[in-house]
Amino acid sequence: MNLPVPVVTIGLLVLSNLFMTVAWYGHLKFKAAPIAIVILVSWGIAFFEYLLQVPANRIGYGHFSAAQLKTIQEVISLSVFAGFSWLYLGERLGWQHAVGFSLICAGAWFVFHDWG
């Protein structure tokens, strides 16, 4: 089965961002853990992020420009982080988060809009 390039690229980027969000922020619930251990565990988790992120960019480049790939990654990253911070960290997401995220999505629209 050959999936379209955008589906594969975005799917891999979503999965990679799940790993990276856990690597960067998952330790915040474990403040008593020694920082050296936290760093090593985070690096171990981030390894799996790279196993997904690098192929996503290789597969997507050509169909998407580098700027578009980065924009997709950032929008996915913020989406994953919003869910993670709410579900895992128990943080409240307010109207200001929705407004800020909407502005970032508006910026993404400019990156993908063909002005030529």
Side-chain angles (χ1 to χ4, degrees):
M1 170 195 295
N2 286 333
L3 295 173
V5 169
V7 171
V8 174
T9 301
I10 292 169
L12 288 171
L13 288 174
V14 168
L15 292 172
S16 75
N17 272 280
L18 288 169
F19 279 103
M20 202 57 175
T21 300
V22 171
W24 284 4
Y25 302 102
H27 62 86
L28 296 178
K29 281 192 158 185
F30 304 99
K31 298 287 272 179
I35 192 69
I37 299 298
V38 168
I39 290 169
L40 290 173
V41 169
S42 291
W43 278 351
I45 295 168
F47 171 75
F48 294 100
E49 185 266 346
Y50 276 83
L51 289 177
L52 298 164
Q53 176 84 308
V54 171
N57 287 328
R58 282 205 159 205
I59 292 165
Y61 187 66
H63 184 87
F64 299 109
S65 70
Q68 289 172 329
L69 284 169
K70 183 60 178 172
T71 302
I72 293 166
Q73 188 275 326
E74 291 299 334
V75 170
I76 290 170
S77 180
L78 287 172
S79 301
V80 168
F81 179 76
F84 180 86
S85 65
W86 177 58
L87 294 170
Y88 181 77
L89 296 175
E91 295 187 359
R92 182 188 69 79
L93 297 174
W95 66 268
Q96 69 276 25
H97 299 102
V99 169
F101 187 70
S102 297
L103 291 172
I104 291 167
C105 288
W109 179 83
F110 279 96
V111 171
F112 280 87
H113 187 74
D114 183 10
W115 298 96

